[in-house]
Amino acid sequence: MKTPVLRLDRLGVAFLIITIGAAALAPILALVVPRDSAFAMPPYVVALLGKYMCYGILALALDLVWGYCGILSLGHGAFFALGGYAMGMYLMRQIGTRGVYANPILPDFMVFLNWKELPVAWWGFHSFAYAALMVMLAPGVLAFAFGWFAFRSRVTGVYLSIITQALTYALKLAFFRNDFGFGGNNGLTDFKDIVGFNVQSDETRAALFSLSALALALSYVIGRAIVVSKYGKAVIAIRDAESRVRFIGYRVENYKLFVFVVSAVMAGIAGALYVPQVGIINPSEFDPANSIEAVIWVAVGGRGTLVGAALGAVTVNFAKTYFTGAFPEYWLYALGGLFVLVTLFLPKGLIGLLNLRRRAAKPTPPSTASLAQQEEGAL
Amino acid sequence: MTFVRFVAVFIFVCCATAARADAVDDALAKFLDNKFTSTAQGVNDLAATGAANAPAILDALGDNRLLIDPVARIIVYQTSGGDLINAKTGEKLSGVGADSFKKVRVNNGLRSAIEAAVGALTLASPDPQKRASAAEAVFKSRDAGALAVLDAQLSRESNPQVAEAMRQARAAIIVLDPNTPSADRVGAVSTLKARGDQDAQSLIDEVAAKSDDPAVKTAALAAEAAIKAHLVWLNVLQNLIYGVSAASVLLLAAIGLAITFGVMGVINMAHGEMVMLGAYTTFVVQSALPPSFLQWSLAVALPLAFLVSAIVGVAIERLVIRFLYGRPLETLLATWGVSLILQQAVRSLFGANNRQVVAPDFMSGSYDWAGLQITTGRLWIVALAIIVFAALQLALRATSFGLRMRAVTQNRRMAAAMGISTGRIDMFAFALGSGVAGVAGVALSQIDNVSPNLGQGYIIDSFMVVVLGGVGNLWGTLLGAMVLGVANKLLEPVIGAVLGKILLLVFIILFIQKRPRGLFALKGRAVEA
């Protein structure tokens, strides 16, 4: 190929530099720089930023399906949580005899529930490789099964959105049950080790942050590679004029399914990186409100930009951390207001604002996408 | 001749009453000793006389209100109002205080003897309702001591229903008694089988397990199977009733959503909050009205809740949704934001805790109809759902506004071309849908916790109803609500509430594979919008 695979714009380059730079710099600031120095990163900041990175990956995954394929998933939190649970199960089995009941095989909650054997779903999770595989496989298979049904029968628009919401709602109900076998209401927690390192130690936290930042960069590269490819062009066309693409002869459902599954796997990886950093995974991660909150990150940053999604995730979560600390009463007002204001006045998000300033200098013709949309509406 | 007979009867009656009075005197005299053994004797003797004031005296004894003067040999009891009444004559004593008497002592053994005695006496009460409930109490307690009284009463019982209750009580006592002849016990088993409820079943289970008499055992086993089959049917019917009740709640919550979604094609995620506002309106109405108007509070709350929710709905439509026309996904997000704001606003105003909404008298209580439990409140909600449904049908079918609304639902652009102001129709449809949600909130305030999160629980369920029913017409919503409500309640006892809900969600996901636009889909070009 003549053109570089990614065709990175300036924004993309900046994004990669920042994320990879952060991944390299954070361990130094957190571990090497003395604690009393102004540049030192306290452990809680490392954990917090690590969380933001995971949210960033989730937002990026969501942007891939919503921003580029027009599928508004209100259930991406389910894929995130499934990845998290897969990692949580690995971490649970690493506890071993250090649990309260000191059972070498069964996690504490199973002993407590008087179970005698490990359920089949938990087999193999003592191995990190298997767990890592499941982190991708569990959300991937679910997304494939769901998407295969939904896209083939041409469920679109708000119907699809609500069905995805119902999906995560159903999973939440299921995971709340004790006999479902994943810790019920309390979820999985009290983790000790990850691949032999203490999850609580500063070194591990710094390493997890760096990994999350690198994963974010990698997600961007993968996402970018998809959307600038020929394949990606078809996906964008589906977003703008689905029927027309179908009439031309493309198998729309296959394109949608591919993007949906890739996005779900990304969300799963985000969840897997998230769990060791926050130290707990429980069914409330499946809450529909969480998934829809992730959508607003994408909207705030600017959908259909990938970089914007990650930017939005970090911005909104920073605001959330600040607000829930300073004025807990007003956070829901702020979040609700954000939903309304962004959809009404900022359809292109923060990135749109940046582009607006640049465009003010040199005017550009209207995008083909919006033209196609108008024609579609007129059909 | 007649005269002679009259005199004879008169004398006989006098003697009988006199004899009875003597017996009462003798029994009462036993209380004067104030020793547990003689008091127990007195209780039994007094109960055996069946005197009219015996229950009152025994009640007083149980509550430490029976007083004696051992010197003057007077026995009195104190009414709950504080009056002192001579137990023998029934006259009210005046000018003496309770402190000039001594209390008759009772212990726990005596108390249970008193309870049994009062139970036996109530079996002889002139009120058939009291007799029946006394027989029911004996059925539950299986007190062998009541057998003699039961037999005596049974022989003179004229009311067939009460007699049946007494026969059942008698059967409950003798069926486990090894001294009763086997034929009688088999008869008792068939009496219990005829009763056929949960209590009878557990009793027969016990008989089948314990009895060593082969005839009784076979009869019990057969009866067990028969009752089980009967109970299964009863259970299904009961769950159907619960299902219809749940369906009416779903219908109320979903029908407003069906209207707005049908007309405008947008999901109002704040619809649940309209329901919540209706519930809070009920709370405010009840706190604002004086307590004497409590019975009428719901009648005031219904129109007010409609108005409050409709106004908020119009505000949302005018301020937010109108600008997002043609972008249903963005509308979904924006209205979600509105719902967060409304929830937090209510939380700031009324606090995060549940608010108490009182049910008026006519809505509390329950019926027992042939073994089926029907709560009055639920019945009213079903009635309200039917009324709302009928009113909306009428509004859509018989008014010009309804005609315009249906036109916009079917084909917005064509309707606009025919001169219908679609913007105004949107606004009114939104007001109508939100108002109906407010009415649903009044109903829900009676059965659910009135909290800021009230609405969130209903938005997914409501949308499932709309997905199942389709937006073609309201009958689809009715059918969708019925299917979901009834299926949910039928599944619940079999596989549990949570698993039942999951199964239904999976069913709906599979259902829309088959019929992506619901049961009652619009036909024609509008479908592929």
Side-chain angles (χ1 to χ4, degrees):
Chain A
M1 260 192 278
K2 276 180 194 167
T3 47
V5 184
L6 295 181
R7 270 183 270 156
L8 287 177
D9 51 4
R10 269 163 53 194
L11 213 59
V13 173
F15 182 75
L16 285 180
I17 289 173
I18 289 172
T19 46
I20 296 173
L25 210 59
I28 299 170
L29 292 182
L31 303 172
V32 182
V33 175
R35 271 292 156 79
D36 47 4
S37 150
F39 295 103
M41 246 166 102
Y44 79 90
V45 174
V46 177
L48 201 63
L49 291 181
K51 229 170 77 174
Y52 292 170
M53 292 297 130
C54 298
Y55 289 147
I57 303 172
L58 174 62
L60 211 144
L62 200 54
D63 192 23
L64 205 55
V65 286
W66 183 34
Y68 288 96
C69 200
I71 305 167
L72 176 55
S73 165
L74 298 183
H76 251 53
F79 304 126
F80 182 82
L82 278 178
Y85 262 96
M87 179 55 87
M89 284 157 78
Y90 163 73
L91 294 169
M92 279 310 260
R93 295 212 48 192
Q94 291 301 301
I95 297 174
T97 53
R98 285 166 294 177
V100 179
Y101 297 108
N103 189 312
I105 304 289
L106 298 184
D108 276 350
F109 77 90
M110 292 189 193
V111 184
F112 184 75
L113 290 173
N114 221 349
W115 291 4
K116 297 284 170 250
E117 295 171 29
L118 203 63
V120 183
W122 283 73
W123 289 3
F125 271 98
H126 58 278
S127 133
F128 183 77
Y130 179 78
L133 184 71
M134 290 314 277
V135 160
M136 294 185 273
L137 219 53
V141 168
L142 177 69
F144 184 83
F146 179 84
W148 197 74
F149 279 121
F151 301 140
R152 269 166 54 93
S153 53
R154 302 184 191 174
V155 180
T156 53
V158 286
Y159 279 93
L160 187 79
S161 300
I162 295 285
I163 293 296
T164 52
Q165 187 172 31
L167 173 81
T168 186
Y169 184 62
L171 281 169
K172 176 184 162 186
L173 292 179
F175 273 82
F176 259 120
R177 291 170 61 91
N178 270 333
D179 52 7
F180 199 62
F182 298 98
N185 197 4
N186 299 324
L188 313 173
T189 186
D190 282 336
F191 307 134
K192 309 275 190 230
D193 286 352
I194 179 164
V195 287
F197 301 100
N198 182 358
V199 279
Q200 307 280 351
S201 77
D202 292 351
E203 289 82 5
T204 318
R205 284 188 180 283
L208 281 169
F209 169 83
S210 296
L211 277 176
S212 306
L214 285 179
L216 181 57
L218 189 67
S219 303
Y220 173 74
V221 170
I222 294 173
R224 182 78 191 170
I226 291 175
V227 298
V228 297
S229 67
K230 259 172 84 178
Y231 201 91
K233 294 279 177 243
V235 168
I236 294 169
I238 289 169
R239 173 192 73 187
D240 293 333
E242 182 171 334
S243 316
R244 192 179 300 185
V245 176
R246 184 175 283 123
F247 298 152
I248 292 170
Y250 287 93
R251 294 293 295 266
V252 168
E253 51 275 8
N254 292 353
Y255 283 84
K256 280 183 166 182
L257 193 57
F258 175 75
V259 176
F260 195 63
V261 171
V262 168
S263 166
V265 171
M266 264 186 205
I269 292 171
L273 287 164
Y274 174 82
V275 166
Q277 300 190 64
V278 295
I280 186 169
I281 174 85
N282 62 29
S284 64
E285 289 296 334
F286 284 105
D287 199 284
N290 283 7
S291 296
I292 203 164
E293 214 178 300
V295 173
I296 203 61
W297 305 338
V298 180
V300 166
R303 63 198 169 102
T305 58
L306 295 180
V307 175
L311 180 72
V314 174
T315 317
V316 175
N317 277 295
F318 179 75
K320 184 178 186 175
T321 310
Y322 172 73
F323 260 99
T324 45
F327 328 93
E329 281 273 302
Y330 296 100
W331 166 240
L332 276 185
Y333 287 126
L335 185 65
L338 209 56
F339 272 100
V340 178
L341 296 179
V342 167
T343 44
L344 281 182
F345 302 115
L346 214 59
K348 293 195 169 156
L350 294 174
I351 295 290
L353 279 184
L354 282 180
N355 288 345
L356 214 64
R357 281 184 53 195
R358 219 185 301 163
R359 288 233 181 93
K362 54 168 191 188
T364 48
S367 74
T368 46
S370 59
L371 273 179
Q373 208 159 18
Q374 282 164 18
E375 283 176 43
E376 181 76 2
L379 268 179
Chain B
M1 197 55 199
T2 338
F3 178 73
V4 174
R5 194 183 275 172
F6 174 76
V7 169
V9 169
F10 182 77
I11 292 172
F12 176 77
V13 169
C14 285
C15 289
T17 18
R20 186 174 269 187
D22 283 344
V24 171
D25 282 352
D26 289 346
L28 283 176
K30 301 225 163 64
F31 293 131
L32 288 168
D33 292 353
N34 205 2
K35 286 184 187 135
F36 290 140
T37 42
S38 52
T39 307
Q41 191 69 47
V43 168
N44 283 340
D45 290 356
L46 188 60
T49 64
N53 59 349
I57 296 174
L58 289 174
D59 270 344
L61 178 61
D63 294 349
N64 282 329
R65 286 185 283 111
L66 192 69
L67 310 169
I68 50 169
D69 185 346
V71 183
R73 298 184 70 78
I74 300 175
I75 304 167
V76 297
Y77 62 90
Q78 196 169 21
T79 63
S80 45
D83 295 332
L84 292 175
I85 291 175
N86 189 321
K88 202 180 287 185
T89 59
E91 286 163 355
K92 209 163 121 180
L93 292 173
S94 48
V96 245
D99 40 359
S100 59
F101 293 94
K102 257 175 80 176
K103 279 180 183 162
V104 180
R105 293 177 302 145
V106 282
N107 59 9
N108 278 344
L110 264 176
R111 279 211 182 83
S112 55
I114 292 168
E115 249 165 57
V118 171
L121 278 172
T122 352
L123 277 173
S125 155
D127 181 356
Q129 199 130 37
K130 275 192 185 155
R131 292 203 297 274
S133 61
E136 187 59 33
V138 175
F139 180 91
K140 292 256 163 69
S141 70
R142 291 187 234 156
D143 173 21
L147 193 57
V149 192
L150 260 179
D151 280 336
Q153 287 301 326
L154 201 50
S155 59
R156 69 176 99 128
E157 181 59 61
S158 55
N159 185 324
Q161 273 167 329
V162 179
E164 185 56 33
M166 286 180 176
R167 264 193 293 279
Q168 286 166 359
R170 191 174 174 280
I173 297 171
I174 63 168
V175 77
L176 274 171
D177 180 13
N179 298 325
T180 316
S182 145
D184 283 2
R185 287 165 68 193
V186 172
V189 167
S190 69
T191 309
L192 290 175
K193 178 179 148 192
R195 181 185 164 107
D197 65 354
Q198 205 86 50
D199 294 325
Q201 194 197 14
S202 59
L203 189 53
I204 286 182
D205 282 351
E206 209 179 321
V207 175
K210 275 190 194 163
S211 176
D212 26 73
D213 189 321
V216 177
K217 199 170 182 118
T218 2
L221 284 174
E224 208 179 352
I227 291 184
K228 220 167 244 166
H230 174 69
L231 280 182
V232 164
W233 275 111
L234 207 64
N235 232 337
V236 169
L237 276 178
Q238 181 74 65
N239 285 326
L240 269 179
I241 291 176
Y242 288 148
V244 170
S245 148
S248 59
V249 170
L250 271 180
L251 179 67
L252 279 173
I255 203 161
L257 194 70
I259 291 174
T260 49
F261 184 59
V263 172
M264 303 167 72
V266 299
I267 289 292
N268 177 16
M269 293 297 266
H271 186 79
E273 276 57 47
M274 303 291 122
V275 176
M276 186 252 304
L277 286 181
Y280 271 92
T281 308
T282 318
F283 166 71
V284 171
V285 165
Q286 284 198 347
S287 2
L289 283 179
S292 50
F293 279 98
L294 190 68
Q295 304 300 328
W296 298 100
S297 61
L298 292 194
V300 180
L302 276 176
L304 217 58
F306 183 93
L307 222 61
V308 168
S309 294
I311 289 171
V312 175
V314 167
I316 295 173
E317 202 274 334
R318 286 286 98 179
L319 295 176
V320 179
I321 295 177
R322 187 159 63 108
F323 301 107
L324 295 170
Y325 169 69
R327 290 154 67 195
L329 298 182
E330 274 88 340
T331 315
L332 195 151
L333 292 179
T335 50
W336 173 265
V338 171
S339 88
L340 290 183
I341 294 172
L342 284 175
Q343 273 176 43
Q344 188 58 35
V346 167
R347 203 172 284 127
S348 306
L349 269 175
F350 295 95
N353 296 334
N354 293 346
R355 286 295 168 169
Q356 202 62 46
V357 169
V358 196
D361 291 342
F362 66 89
M363 281 187 76
S364 44
S366 68
Y367 294 110
D368 188 15
W369 182 69
L372 295 171
Q373 286 286 329
I374 300 169
T375 9
T376 322
R378 292 280 184 164
L379 213 59
W380 279 100
I381 291 178
V382 174
L384 181 68
I386 294 172
I387 292 169
V388 166
F389 181 78
L392 281 178
Q393 278 290 13
L394 204 68
L396 286 185
R397 299 274 150 198
T399 66
S400 89
F401 163 66
L403 183 69
R404 282 150 207 258
M405 215 169 94
R406 282 185 292 136
V408 175
T409 308
Q410 281 170 16
N411 194 327
R412 171 174 292 267
R413 292 161 66 100
M414 188 64 85
M418 300 301 274
I420 295 173
S421 161
T422 53
R424 277 169 58 102
I425 294 294
D426 284 349
M427 191 174 78
F428 285 125
F430 222 82
L432 188 64
S434 303
V436 170
V439 170
V442 178
L444 282 177
S445 73
Q446 297 294 316
I447 55 167
D448 207 337
N449 297 326
V450 179
S451 75
N453 303 329
L454 170 75
Q456 282 205 306
Y458 289 95
I459 185 74
I460 290 186
D461 283 346
S462 303
F463 193 79
M464 290 303 137
V465 169
V466 176
V467 165
L468 199 59
V471 296
N473 66 46
L474 293 182
W475 289 105
T477 317
L478 179 68
L479 196 66
M482 275 294 163
V483 169
L484 283 189
V486 171
N488 201 5
K489 290 295 169 188
L490 286 184
L491 284 175
E492 220 173 81
V494 187
I495 53 173
V498 174
L499 217 57
K501 202 153 204 164
I502 293 170
L503 214 64
L504 278 182
L505 288 176
V506 172
F507 161 73
I508 288 173
I509 291 177
L510 292 179
F511 171 82
I512 62 168
Q513 313 298 317
K514 206 81 200 138
R515 303 195 65 143
R517 302 289 165 189
L519 289 169
F520 284 72
L522 280 174
K523 296 190 173 64
R525 287 211 195 171
V527 176
E528 273 297 323

